[in-house]
Amino acid sequence: MSIKIDRLNNSFVEHISQILRTEIKDERIHFVTVTAVSITNDLSFAKVYVTVLDDKERDSILKQLNKASNFIERELSKRIDIRKMPDITFVYDESLEYAANIENIIESIEENE
């Protein structure tokens, strides 16, 4: 991955987090954490990986985030100087759950030894 894409990914994480905290009116979205952004090399698409505080609300919050993606793209275009703003898609980041599952497996193996 290029340095430019890495910088854009980090900048997107910072600015999207700020937009979700301050600009979105839905209170549930204020408890969303942006964990990573993955922008394609041609800058046409960006996957925004998020986690939510309340797991029961995960699907509805993801729907709301994807509905608000056009608004978020407009706000990002005001804050980041980029020729073409990528289309943003929000996806749930399952890496934290995966890591916790692996940790539980390791702990159970250590207990059995």
Side-chain angles (χ1 to χ4, degrees):
M1 196 175 304
S2 73
I3 294 172
K4 176 184 176 185
I5 298 294
D6 283 341
R7 278 194 216 138
L8 276 175
N9 287 336
N10 292 332
S11 183
F12 270 51
V13 167
E14 179 183 329
H15 289 290
I16 291 173
S17 296
Q18 185 180 22
I19 290 168
L20 293 179
R21 266 193 330 269
T22 60
E23 304 292 327
I24 302 293
K25 293 180 179 150
D26 190 349
E27 291 294 322
R28 297 174 304 161
I29 292 179
H30 293 211
F31 297 107
V32 170
T33 303
V34 178
T35 56
V37 173
S38 177
I39 301 174
T40 58
N41 287 335
D42 62 353
L43 303 178
S44 58
F45 298 102
K47 278 187 182 178
V48 180
Y49 295 93
V50 296
T51 59
V52 295
L53 189 61
D54 186 11
D55 223 20
K56 297 172 191 166
E57 297 283 327
R58 178 171 67 183
D59 293 332
S60 64
I61 289 175
L62 281 175
K63 284 180 186 175
Q64 288 300 108
L65 286 172
N66 283 312
K67 273 186 180 179
S69 64
N70 288 334
F71 170 76
I72 294 169
E73 289 171 16
R74 281 193 306 274
E75 289 298 313
L76 278 174
S77 67
K78 295 175 186 175
R79 300 170 189 212
I80 299 174
D81 188 23
I82 187 172
R83 187 171 9 121
K84 180 188 180 307
M85 184 58 62
D87 293 330
I88 294 175
T89 304
F90 289 90
V91 294
Y92 185 73
D93 187 2
E94 296 180 2
S95 65
L96 298 175
E97 290 176 5
Y98 181 75
N101 188 26
I102 295 295
E103 187 175 326
N104 290 337
I105 291 171
I106 291 172
E107 287 176 2
S108 67
I109 290 171
E110 288 176 352
E111 287 175 1
N112 291 336
E113 289 182 353

